[in-house]
Amino acid sequence: MKKIYIKKGDTVYVNAGNDKGKTGKVLEVIPSKDRAIVEGVNMVSKHTKPNPKNPQGGIVKQEGTIHISNLQLIDPTKGGPTRIGHKVVDGKKIRYSKKSGEEIK
């Protein structure tokens, strides 16, 4: 299994696909499929039956999954997309931005 450098709650930039150039917050990461769900990206139409939450039923727009390779983390200080590195500081492994060198929380 590949390493996944993106975590839930990160702000990411979409660098490929129909939504190229958009940014959003990661809502969920699915490591087994190397995919993530990003807020406002890859919107799909889902047909739903009437239920207590949606008594009318019909077509609902929701986020679909997008492959991890099409996402890049947003640099916390400079604001653009950046690659991610790992280093050990005080016995803890941390993620840092390759662009600015800043730690990613």
Side-chain angles (χ1 to χ4, degrees):
M1 186 187 296
K2 289 191 299 187
K3 289 183 182 178
I4 295 182
Y5 300 103
I6 294 171
K7 295 181 179 180
K8 180 179 176 178
D10 287 345
T11 303
V12 294
Y13 171 82
V14 180
N15 60 16
N18 292 339
D19 293 315
K20 182 176 181 177
K22 289 186 181 178
T23 60
K25 188 175 180 181
V26 176
L27 302 174
E28 183 182 351
V29 177
I30 307 164
S32 60
K33 296 183 179 180
D34 292 333
R35 297 180 84 79
I37 297 175
V38 181
E39 191 174 34
V41 174
N42 193 24
M43 298 301 285
V44 294
S45 299
K46 183 176 180 182
H47 294 67
T48 59
K49 289 184 176 179
N51 57 36
K53 187 177 177 183
N54 186 6
Q56 192 67 23
I59 300 171
V60 177
K61 289 272 195 184
Q62 67 182 36
E63 291 93 355
T65 62
I66 186 166
H67 200 269
I68 293 289
S69 66
N70 296 335
L71 302 175
Q72 275 189 300
L73 202 69
I74 297 287
D75 191 302
T77 55
K78 294 195 177 183
T82 182
R83 292 180 297 146
I84 304 166
H86 287 91
K87 59 185 172 185
V88 178
V89 177
D90 298 329
K92 286 191 172 184
K93 186 176 177 183
I94 62 162
R95 298 184 302 162
Y96 71 96
S97 165
K98 294 267 188 159
K99 186 180 268 189
S100 66
E102 291 292 317
E103 180 181 345
I104 298 167
K105 303 283 183 210

